[in-house]
Amino acid sequence: MLPTDRLDYSAIIQRPKLQLPGGARLAVWVIVNVEEWDPKEAMPRTVLSPTAGGTPMPDIPNWAWHEYGNRVGFWRMLEVFDEHRCAPCSPSTVRRLGATS
C-alpha cells in the first residue's frame, strides 16, 4: 500500500494549523527499538571493527555493548521515562519467529 492510498495529498501551506493538547508547541515521539540476534551468527551491526578484518566468533566487544543495553541501558531509559512521565512505544515491525527463508 502506498501512502497515497491512505491519505490525500495536501501542501503544508494549505493544511490547518496543528493544535497539540494543552497548547503544547512541541511533540516528541519516543520509540524504543527492540532487536533480536542469533548469538551463533555474526553481529548484524558492529560498533567496534573486528581486528584483522575477520569476524570473530563470539564477537565479544560487540556483544558487550548489546548486553549492556539489555542489562543496564534499558533500566536507565525506563527511569528517565518515568521521571518525565513519558510513554515510549516500540515499533510494530516484527520478524516472524521460526520462519524459514
Side-chain angles (χ1 to χ4, degrees):
M1 176 184 288
L2 298 173
T4 53
D5 296 333
R6 296 185 300 250
L7 303 169
D8 291 332
Y9 173 79
S10 66
I12 195 166
I13 59 172
Q14 297 170 337
R15 295 179 200 155
K17 186 175 179 180
L18 177 64
Q19 298 293 322
L20 295 173
R25 296 178 53 194
L26 175 68
V28 177
W29 185 16
V30 179
I31 300 176
V32 178
N33 193 29
V34 179
E35 298 182 347
E36 177 266 330
W37 297 319
D38 185 345
K40 296 176 286 233
E41 300 289 329
M43 295 284 287
R45 287 184 303 283
T46 57
V47 174
L48 303 171
S49 299
T51 57
T55 306
M57 294 302 291
D59 186 350
I60 301 297
N62 288 299
W63 268 103
W65 70 262
H66 163 74
E67 285 297 306
Y68 175 87
N70 288 339
R71 298 174 190 268
V72 178
F74 170 81
W75 301 105
R76 288 186 176 178
M77 288 174 30
L78 195 60
E79 288 175 1
V80 170
F81 296 147
D82 287 345
E83 178 183 340
H84 295 283
R85 298 175 46 206
C86 176
C89 63
S90 182
S92 62
T93 306
V94 178
R95 188 181 102 187
R96 199 174 68 176
L97 297 176
T100 57
S101 46

